[in-house]
Structures are given as C-alpha cells and as structure tokens.
Amino acid sequence: MTVTYSRWVADARLGTFYRLLLRWKGSIYKLLYRELLIFTVMYGTISITYRCILTEEQRRMFEKLSMYCDQYAQLIPVSFVLGFYVTLVVTRWWGQFESVPWPDRLSALVSGHVRGADEGARLVRRSLMRYANLSGILIYRSVSTAVYKRFPTMSHLVQAGLMTAEELRHLEELPSPHNKFWVPCMWFVSLAMRARSEGRINNDVAMTAILNELNTLRSQCMRLYGYDWISLPLVYTQVVTVAVYSFFLACLIGRQFLDPAQGYPGHNLDFYLPVFTLLQFFFYVGWLKVAEQLINPFGEDDDDFETNWLVDRNLQVSLLSVDEMYDLVPLVERDKYWDESEPQPPYTAASAEHRKPSFMGSALDIRTHMCMRCLRAEEGIHTNASWYSP
C-alpha cells in the first residue's frame, strides 16, 4: 500500500522530481482521472448544446447566465477552506502515524530484566511480548479494514497463534461492552508481577521500567482508538466538499467560451477546451482527494499504513528479541582502532568527494589589525601588551 520514493529524491538534480510525475501507483492521476473525465464530458456536453442546439434567443440567455455564474463563483472561498482543511488532515495523519505502537523498546526491557535460561523464564518472556502484540492487534482489528479482513473473528486470532483458547474464553467472559484491547495489557501486568515475586525480575527499578514502557504502548493504542472515534467535524468536511464541487459546477457554465461576435468582456477568443479551468480542477479537486485519502490512513488506499505488515513485523521482532537473542552476544574482541586516538574509517572511491575537514568555527579564520606586541603575544612570547586602540 504505502508508496515509497525516498531514494528517488535523495539528490535534488535536474529531472529528479519529473520522474515522479510518471508514476501511477499512489499518484494524483489514479485518484482523479474519473472526476476529471466526468467534468470534461459535462463541459463538452454543455458547450455542444450551446453551439449547436440552442436557438439565437436561447444563446443570449445562456450567455447572460454564463457571465453571472463566472462572476459569483469567485465569491466561493475555495482556497481558504480547502487549504485549512488539508492542513488539519495532514497534521492528524502524521499524529496517527506517531501513535502506531512499536514493541521494540518493551522487548529490549523484557529481554534485559526477565532473567533465566530455563523453559519457565522463556515462557514468561514470550508470553509478555505476545500479550503486548495482542493488544496492538485488537486495536488494529477495530480501526483497520485490512487487519479485520485478515482476522474477521476472534477465533482467527486463536488459529493464528496470537492467543490461546483459554485466553479467548477469559476475554469473552469479561463483562464489558467496551473494546477489550486493554485486557492483554492487564495480563502482562499480572504475569510481570508474578515474575517479580519469583525473582525472575531482579529489582523494583527494572519492574518500573517495564511497566512504564507498557503504559506507553497502551497509550499509543488508546490514541489510535481515539483517532478512530473522534473524527474531524463532519460539518467541516461537508463545507469543504460542497465548496469545491459547487465551485466547479458553476464553472461548467461560467467558464464556457461565448460567441466573440457579441463583444462580451474577456471573451475575445473562442476555444473548445478550457485548459486553465481543467488545470484549476486538477489542483483543487486533487487537493481535496489528498485529504480524502489521508483522513483515515487505516484503509486500503495506496498510501495507507501497512497494518498487516506491522502485525507481522512487530510479532517476529519482539519474540526474536526475547527468545533467540536472549543473552546472545557475539565474541567480544578488540576493535580495529584499539591503539588509535583518532580513528578514521576508510572512504570508497565513490564517497571520497564527501570527505570534509573538521569544522572549527566560521570566525576562526578572521585576521584583525593588531600591533606587533599583540602578534608576539599570539606567537607565545611573554609580554604585558594591552589591546591596541587606533
């Protein structure tokens, strides 16, 4: 889903961004071509009707209507309402990405503080991280259509190994009508407290660090839940949509090329295709389409978040961190620069041009007018010279 093009714009050179204009997936062309085609067909239909079907008297009436629509369409504040709306949507979109729960820090704390190489300790570490991931997956199921299609029922979570049948029974027996994404977090707390009482967690400082990180992850899940619950006010979305489409409905009539023989102001030329009106449609409606795509990034659009990838990645990385990598350290040996006070990693021929001398400050190479005694003092000769005053 997510369209990545960071590598293509790493260097700002001639033609860098022009190549992006040729991409189809995630492009404005893919979002907008249907609306643009409908607008063009409607404009052409009205133009043909005006030129070929209407009588002379009806043409004069249509020309007055066209100038009226063109005059008052400019009163619709499309740029203002649309620009402010898109700004809010983009800010909200980035806030949702920053709220995505990543269990990496929690898995590092669990791996470092839940000690023991026996099967019981391994079971505790893996269960803790499975609970943390399960909480995130329950949130994804409630906000993401892609994850819900993957796990349409809670039984699918059991079949996928993300929870056990006993855990599902406990979850379903809990008398709460609300979203139960927080329940695995409580299982995490209870299991961590048991590990502390059994001595698998050495001290209360480590226990506090683990619980604080769990609360951070739970807060991120809660923010995603809140973003899904509280949308931008519907009235604002309606105002923006109505403003944009009513403006271009007025343009269908107001931007028609009228008979130059009538001498109407601004209608000295007669074309069949309104190039600049189509460009305006492309920009404004394209802007609105950007907001439509970003307002909920947990769908299945080209630029929506890869929630199923997040499920796979977080589960694999967190379990690997607390299990196979537990107490796994490569052979510790002296590094290549053991006896060097100024290590200098080598450059390849391709990167040699990027080697720069150390920056010492922009004012260090300034030469000021000083007396001879000051110069001798600068060279290390002991003197009682004072600052030179011209």
Side-chain angles (χ1 to χ4, degrees):
M1 295 180 185
T2 304
V3 179
T4 301
Y5 57 90
S6 300
R7 184 174 67 88
W8 299 101
V9 295
D11 299 318
R13 299 176 179 175
L14 180 63
T16 296
F17 280 84
Y18 296 114
R19 287 183 294 175
L20 299 180
L21 299 179
L22 302 177
R23 302 187 64 170
W24 175 255
K25 184 178 181 181
S27 68
I28 187 62
Y29 321 119
K30 184 177 179 180
L31 281 176
L32 195 60
Y33 77 93
R34 298 180 183 87
E35 285 85 353
L36 187 60
L37 182 61
I38 293 173
F39 181 82
T40 305
V41 170
M42 292 176 67
Y43 184 93
T45 302
I46 295 174
S47 179
I48 293 173
T49 302
Y50 163 67
R51 296 171 186 271
C52 304
I53 299 178
L54 298 182
T55 64
E56 193 69 22
E57 182 180 355
Q58 290 173 338
R59 289 181 187 177
R60 301 292 85 81
M61 291 296 299
F62 178 83
E63 289 163 359
K64 293 179 181 179
L65 177 63
S66 175
M67 290 185 289
Y68 177 84
C69 291
D70 187 39
Q71 177 183 358
Y72 286 98
Q74 308 304 323
L75 300 179
I76 302 176
V78 180
S79 299
F80 174 75
V81 297
L82 187 57
F84 189 60
Y85 181 71
V86 172
T87 301
L88 287 178
V89 170
V90 171
T91 302
R92 173 185 171 88
W93 167 77
W94 187 248
Q96 290 180 80
F97 177 74
E98 291 185 327
S99 301
V100 169
W102 300 89
D104 298 54
R105 292 176 55 182
L106 182 60
S107 62
L109 289 173
V110 170
S111 179
H113 294 302
V114 181
R115 309 304 300 169
D118 58 299
E119 185 176 350
R122 180 188 177 192
L123 179 61
V124 169
R125 288 192 297 269
R126 290 182 64 92
S127 297
L128 288 174
M129 294 315 303
R130 186 168 55 80
Y131 293 154
N133 280 279
L134 179 59
S135 180
I137 293 171
L138 292 179
I139 276 293
Y140 289 143
R141 283 189 75 250
S142 63
V143 303
S144 172
T145 57
V147 175
Y148 186 83
K149 289 179 179 179
R150 184 179 181 181
F151 307 111
T153 66
M154 298 299 290
S155 298
H156 286 81
L157 294 177
V158 176
Q159 295 175 12
L162 299 171
M163 65 188 309
T164 65
E166 179 69 13
E167 291 165 354
L168 177 59
R169 185 180 65 81
H170 279 276
L171 191 68
E172 291 178 340
E173 290 178 354
L174 190 68
S176 175
H178 307 293
N179 192 310
K180 299 178 183 179
F181 76 92
W182 51 272
V183 175
C185 293
M186 300 309 300
W187 294 342
F188 184 106
V189 173
S190 300
L191 184 57
M193 293 298 296
R194 182 187 303 175
R196 175 71 182 100
S197 64
E198 294 175 352
R200 299 187 187 279
I201 300 177
N202 294 331
N203 53 74
D204 292 335
V205 175
M207 183 70 180
T208 302
I210 292 175
L211 295 183
N212 285 340
E213 192 58 40
L214 173 69
N215 284 331
T216 299
L217 187 140
R218 178 175 175 174
S219 297
Q220 291 174 319
C221 293
M222 193 66 213
R223 281 199 296 271
L224 289 184
Y225 183 74
Y227 274 119
D228 186 67
W229 175 35
I230 305 297
S231 303
L232 287 177
L234 178 61
V235 62
Y236 194 16
T237 302
Q238 291 174 337
V239 166
V240 173
T241 305
V242 170
V244 172
Y245 285 106
S246 62
F247 174 78
F248 285 104
L249 284 175
C251 288
L252 286 174
I253 298 176
R255 298 293 176 85
Q256 291 288 334
F257 290 102
L258 305 181
D259 186 1
Q262 301 301 316
Y264 298 123
H267 292 275
N268 302 322
L269 298 176
D270 186 14
F271 295 114
Y272 293 95
L273 187 66
V275 176
F276 290 100
T277 300
L278 292 179
L279 285 176
Q280 197 173 24
F281 183 90
F282 186 85
F283 299 146
Y284 282 165
V285 180
W287 213 0
L288 181 62
K289 285 295 180 180
V290 169
E292 290 178 1
Q293 190 174 45
L294 297 184
I295 196 169
N296 183 7
F298 292 100
E300 298 176 72
D301 296 326
D302 286 343
D303 271 313
D304 284 345
F305 300 155
E306 297 278 7
T307 46
N308 278 317
W309 176 86
L310 286 170
V311 170
D312 297 337
R313 183 264 174 201
N314 289 343
L315 181 65
Q316 196 268 344
V317 170
S318 58
L319 293 182
L320 188 66
S321 299
V322 300
D323 190 4
E324 295 184 27
M325 294 193 66
Y326 174 73
D327 268 355
L328 179 63
V329 181
L331 178 64
V332 180
E333 54 186 346
R334 292 184 176 186
D335 59 83
K336 183 178 180 179
Y337 309 104
W338 183 264
D339 295 320
E340 298 184 22
S341 59
E342 188 179 353
Q344 289 290 335
Y347 286 81
T348 62
S351 65
E353 61 177 313
H354 300 293
R355 182 175 183 177
K356 303 295 181 184
S358 178
F359 180 73
M360 301 300 294
S362 59
L364 287 183
D365 59 349
I366 296 177
R367 289 299 178 182
T368 60
H369 180 64
M370 295 185 294
C371 65
M372 291 302 297
R373 290 199 300 175
C374 291
L375 289 173
R376 289 199 301 270
E378 187 181 88
E379 294 171 358
I381 302 175
H382 178 71
T383 177
N384 293 322
S386 60
W387 292 106
Y388 173 74
S389 298

